[in-house]
């Protein structure tokens, strides 16, 4: 199972623009790829694919929450 977590965490240190253009897109592509594989996978492969999808959804959700919090903090500071 491949994880994007190691490459995702350092990108939080950059601006939200970099986070969106560099990290969110590959996660979305990987989610699409895993969904396609799960649709045609053998039953024995499905649990591993679903576990990886669950991890990617969690990472995607965390990046969206981070972007929302950063955007809200900019408005509050102004």
């Amino acid at each position: 199972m491949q994880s994007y977590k190691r490459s995702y965490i350092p990108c939080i240190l950059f601006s939200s623009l970099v986070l969106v253009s560099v990290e969110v897109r590959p996660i979305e592509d990987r989610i699409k790829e895993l969904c396609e594989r799960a649709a045609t996978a053998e039953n024995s492969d499905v649990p591993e694919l679903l576990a990886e999808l669950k991890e990617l959804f969690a990472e995607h959700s965390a990046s969206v929450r981070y972007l929302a919090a950063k955007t809200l903090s900019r408005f509050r500071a102004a």
Side-chain angles (χ1 to χ4, degrees), residues 16-19 27 30 44 46 51 55 57-58 62 66 70 73-74:
S16 61
L17 179 62
V18 172
L19 180 67
I27 290 174
R30 184 73 177 140
S44 61
V46 171
E55 183 178 331
F57 284 137
Y66 171 79
K70 189 169 183 170
S73 69
R74 287 182 186 162

Side-chain angles (χ1 to χ4, degrees), residues 5 11 18-19 25 27-28 36 52 54 59 67 69 78:
K5 192 171 281 184
C11 289
V18 172
L19 180 67
R25 192 67 211 156
I27 290 174
E28 290 173 356
E36 291 170 3
E52 191 169 349
K54 183 178 178 181
E59 290 178 26
L67 290 173

Side-chain angles (χ1 to χ4, degrees), residues 59-78:
E59 290 178 26
H60 190 318
S61 177
S63 69
V64 171
R65 283 194 305 271
Y66 171 79
L67 290 173
K70 189 169 183 170
T71 300
L72 288 174
S73 69
R74 287 182 186 162
F75 285 114
R76 289 181 187 150

Side-chain angles (χ1 to χ4, degrees), residues 4-5 7-8 22-34 53 55-61 63:
Y4 285 84
K5 192 171 281 184
S7 64
Y8 168 74
V22 172
E23 285 300 322
V24 173
R25 192 67 211 156
I27 290 174
E28 290 173 356
D29 290 345
R30 184 73 177 140
I31 288 170
K32 288 177 185 176
E33 176 190 326
L34 286 171
L53 274 169
E55 183 178 331
L56 287 173
F57 284 137
E59 290 178 26
H60 190 318
S61 177
S63 69

